[in-house]
Amino acid sequence: MNENQRLEGQQVQTANPSDKKSAKDYSKYFETVFVPPSLKDAKKRGKEEVKYHDDFQISEEFRGLGNGRKFYIRTYGCQMNEHDTEVMAGIFMALGYEATDSVDDANVILLNTCAIRENAENKVFGELGHLKHLKTEKPDLLIGVCGCMSQEESVVNKILKTYNQVDMIFGTHNIHRLPNILKEAYMSKEMVVEVWSKEGDVIENLPKVRRGNIKAWVNIMYGCDKFCTYCIVPFTRGKERSRRPEEIIQEVRDLAAQGYQEVTLLGQNVNAYGKDFEDLEYGLGNLMDEIRKIGIPRVRFTTSHPRDFDDHLIEVLAKGGNLMDHIHLPVQSGSSDVLKIMARKYTREQYLELVEKIKAAIPNVTLTTDIIVGYPNETDEQFEETISLYKEVGFEAAYTFIYSPREGTPAAKMQDNVPMEIKKERLQRLNAVVNEMSAKALEKYKGQTVEVLVEGESKNNPDVLAGYTSKSKLVNFVGPKTAIGKIVKVKITDTRTWSLNGEMVEEQQSVEVK
């Protein structure tokens, strides 16, 4: 979609000029800029549509737009959404806005949304209802919905029809246009909608305001081309687009120089990194091999797809050092038949073979995973295969979910024929195994001394500090506030199902930046 099409889509005439916001006809808008999810069309998407921009800057016409104003962003969903929030916060600050942690004194409120689970959508709609009274009290307040939900036509139509307190809707591909969207929202009586179906270009030099100075997220690629039948991400986030390695490496070097202790490389399918490059052969293994030489204590990556976890990446991770020995490797099901319906493109046997390769190269590795229960047509026997695979792999934790259909995905057209009571019972049984194995994995830490990156005070007790080990185990301990932001040694005195308790032994020396 080009700029002229976008502008044509925004110049649709309204049926009733006296009530533009509620009556505006967006049907033609969606004809020009929005294409509903189509697996057939999406699989044809080519590489030529994506452009690489390294010249982003905020135009002078927007400077000072936020002077005397405050912004608030509530984030739902994955680390990618958290990273998008950091970018939007950076743009707000560059425009002169000030951050606030309260909706009550905000001049702009953004809900950065997630489309993965139905529950996440319901939370957003509930929050929009709660915000309605603020709009009544402060007519000049701007309320916006952005993120993955905004890329779904049904969601946008529901907001247009039901939530007229919303001033802005924009998608994952439109974040760089936030200054334009804000200015238009201030000047217009109509709801500003920018939801492009264009796959999204790669835009560098976007400002960021990171939360804290201990851990940082670094996007290395965008989008996904896997088209698992349950997943809306390939449609909401677009095709796989990799950032150039030199840009990523420089960003990590800058973070190391600023004193960050941990970096997590992000992508919807992070180990497909580099597959879209036409001018060089360069994958996640190459990138990790270079980043491990940078003086930053801890480096992680998420989220992996088993199909793209190649031998070179395993070889590099086995070098250890600042490359963490914890790998999150979503399996989704232990049944080859269910995996086929999910279009995961691997079998149970292939997944177990990959696990054995990883364990052989990294003997002390900790594996965690994602699992969906109650998928269409899942039988009791197939669910039992998931339980047995979980035990065979020896996962130490898992994110577990009941299947819920997402409109626009192939699975949404399947008959959701597993009754909810059976789904809940399977989830309960699975979680019992997950809890048992997590507790068992943590028991071996008792009496050991581990290195903990201290993130701050415990959520439950300000006198207790909390942080994570290299294997992402939560540790609570008593120690001086000066330990926050540092890697310290803690002797484990007690274990729980999901966390460890301990006593601080000593602080570790800072890592020299190279």
Side-chain angles (χ1 to χ4, degrees):
M1 184 197 68
N2 60 36
E3 190 73 0
N4 288 334
Q5 287 176 308
R6 183 187 69 78
L7 292 172
E8 285 170 11
Q10 290 185 334
Q11 291 170 358
V12 178
Q13 295 300 308
T14 60
N16 180 1
S18 65
D19 187 12
K20 292 182 180 180
K21 195 170 183 180
S22 60
K24 189 170 183 179
D25 178 10
Y26 277 89
S27 58
K28 293 181 181 178
Y29 176 90
F30 285 111
E31 285 175 14
T32 57
V33 303
F34 191 96
V35 180
S38 165
L39 187 65
K40 182 180 177 182
D41 293 341
K43 284 189 172 181
K44 295 177 182 175
R45 52 197 187 188
K47 296 176 182 177
E48 70 283 354
E49 299 170 6
V50 173
K51 295 180 181 178
Y52 205 89
H53 304 274
D54 59 1
D55 56 351
F56 175 83
Q57 56 183 347
I58 292 176
S59 169
E60 284 300 318
E61 69 174 300
F62 303 123
R63 296 283 177 186
L65 184 65
N67 288 352
R69 291 168 169 159
K70 296 181 179 180
F71 73 93
Y72 174 93
I73 307 175
R74 179 161 292 169
T75 311
Y76 303 81
C78 67
Q79 294 96 335
M80 195 71 78
N81 286 29
E82 293 282 358
H83 185 269
D84 286 347
T85 289
E86 292 178 343
V87 172
M88 288 188 288
I91 293 174
F92 270 119
M93 301 285 268
L95 293 171
Y97 287 87
E98 180 185 339
T100 177
D101 58 4
S102 170
V103 294
D104 294 321
D105 59 353
N107 302 101
V108 181
I109 298 172
L110 287 185
L111 303 185
N112 187 7
T113 63
C114 172
I116 297 296
R117 310 280 166 211
E118 186 178 12
N119 188 42
E121 287 193 4
N122 291 337
K123 284 182 179 178
V124 172
F125 289 129
E127 185 62 22
L128 286 176
H130 294 148
L131 293 174
K132 189 167 187 175
H133 78 279
L134 283 178
K135 189 73 173 177
T136 306
E137 295 167 10
K138 297 168 62 176
D140 60 339
L141 169 69
L142 293 184
I143 298 175
V145 179
C146 58
C148 291
M149 273 177 61
S150 302
Q151 297 288 147
E152 297 182 85
E153 184 175 3
S154 61
V155 169
V156 175
N157 283 333
K158 183 173 180 177
I159 293 173
L160 291 168
K161 191 178 294 184
T162 311
Y163 300 93
N164 62 0
Q165 66 268 40
V166 174
D167 301 281
M168 305 171 286
I169 306 174
F170 58 98
T172 57
H173 309 320
N174 312 98
I175 288 173
H176 64 289
R177 283 188 47 81
L178 181 55
N180 309 69
I181 293 167
L182 286 167
K183 185 173 182 181
E184 190 172 345
Y186 281 125
M187 296 176 65
S188 177
K189 292 180 180 179
E190 302 167 350
M191 194 181 295
V192 179
V193 180
E194 279 211 11
V195 185
W196 299 358
S197 275
K198 188 180 187 309
E199 298 296 348
D201 295 341
V202 176
I203 300 172
E204 294 288 356
N205 297 327
L206 287 166
K208 300 179 187 73
V209 174
R210 301 184 189 274
R211 295 179 64 181
N213 57 357
I214 302 169
K215 297 167 72 172
W217 310 108
V218 175
N219 251 115
I220 67 170
M221 65 179 300
Y222 308 90
C224 182
D225 289 343
K226 286 296 177 283
F227 299 104
C228 301
T229 53
Y230 54 83
C231 189
I232 197 72
V233 166
F235 307 107
T236 60
R237 290 281 179 175
K239 72 169 71 176
E240 291 174 355
R241 298 142 6 242
S242 301
R243 294 178 62 198
R244 301 297 297 185
E246 59 271 19
E247 298 281 356
I248 299 165
I249 291 165
Q250 186 57 53
E251 185 173 346
V252 175
R253 286 189 181 281
D254 291 343
L255 290 168
Q258 293 169 46
Y260 281 84
Q261 299 295 294
E262 181 174 303
V263 161
T264 301
L265 307 182
L266 288 182
Q268 255 80 33
N269 178 21
V270 71
N271 45 350
Y273 174 76
K275 288 180 182 275
D276 55 320
F277 288 147
E278 295 183 325
D279 59 335
L280 76 163
E281 287 190 17
Y282 194 98
L284 181 60
N286 304 91
L287 183 65
M288 297 291 281
D289 207 18
E290 292 197 55
I291 288 178
R292 73 182 181 85
K293 300 168 188 173
I294 298 174
I296 202 155
R298 294 183 174 183
V299 178
R300 305 183 189 274
F301 61 96
T302 196
T303 289
S304 296
H305 193 294
R307 276 183 65 198
D308 292 321
F309 214 109
D310 58 39
D311 292 346
H312 182 227
L313 177 58
I314 295 172
E315 178 187 325
V316 171
L317 294 176
K319 295 178 182 180
N322 61 354
L323 305 183
M324 297 295 95
D325 50 359
H326 165 231
I327 297 172
H328 190 69
L329 192 64
V331 66
Q332 305 301 358
S333 173
S335 163
S336 293
D337 290 336
V338 175
L339 290 170
K340 186 174 182 178
I341 298 172
M342 290 178 167
R344 293 289 286 175
K345 305 292 176 64
Y346 56 81
T347 63
R348 173 193 177 99
E349 291 71 28
Q350 288 169 330
Y351 185 91
L352 290 172
E353 183 183 340
L354 173 60
V355 166
E356 286 309 308
K357 275 187 187 179
I358 292 171
K359 287 183 174 180
I362 314 167
N364 295 320
V365 71
T366 288
L367 295 171
T368 56
T369 196
D370 295 343
I371 294 175
I372 299 171
V373 301
Y375 206 68
N377 299 310
E378 183 188 61
T379 65
D380 289 338
E381 292 76 18
Q382 290 166 341
F383 172 70
E384 291 297 339
E385 288 185 79
T386 296
I387 296 286
S388 69
L389 178 126
Y390 195 92
K391 293 177 178 177
E392 185 173 346
V393 172
F395 291 114
E396 296 191 10
Y399 294 106
T400 59
F401 307 95
I402 286 176
Y403 168 74
S404 62
R406 311 309 302 134
E407 185 176 339
T409 63
K413 298 176 183 176
M414 302 177 190
Q415 184 182 357
D416 191 7
N417 53 5
V418 181
M420 181 54 70
E421 59 268 25
I422 292 179
K423 290 182 182 182
K424 288 180 178 178
E425 190 243 342
R426 288 177 184 172
L427 183 69
Q428 194 172 16
R429 283 192 55 210
L430 174 61
N431 284 344
V433 174
V434 171
N435 292 344
E436 178 188 350
M437 292 184 62
S438 173
K440 188 176 179 181
L442 292 180
E443 282 175 7
K444 65 188 178 188
Y445 286 94
K446 193 165 185 176
Q448 288 190 21
T449 297
V450 296
E451 292 184 349
V452 177
L453 174 54
V454 188
E455 295 188 21
E457 298 172 354
S458 165
K459 293 179 180 178
N460 300 321
N461 187 345
D463 296 326
V464 174
L465 298 181
Y468 287 86
T469 69
S470 63
K471 294 177 179 288
S472 292
K473 306 298 185 187
L474 174 62
V475 181
N476 296 298
F477 64 97
V478 176
K481 297 290 194 286
T482 53
I484 294 174
K486 297 178 182 176
I487 295 176
V488 304
K489 291 187 176 180
V490 176
K491 185 174 182 180
I492 303 304
T493 56
D494 184 34
T495 67
R496 305 283 180 92
T497 302
W498 293 107
S499 63
L500 303 165
N501 294 333
E503 299 171 345
M504 182 169 150
V505 179
E506 64 175 291
E507 294 185 12
Q508 182 176 300
Q509 294 297 313
S510 299
V511 175
E512 182 182 348
V513 177
K514 295 180 182 179

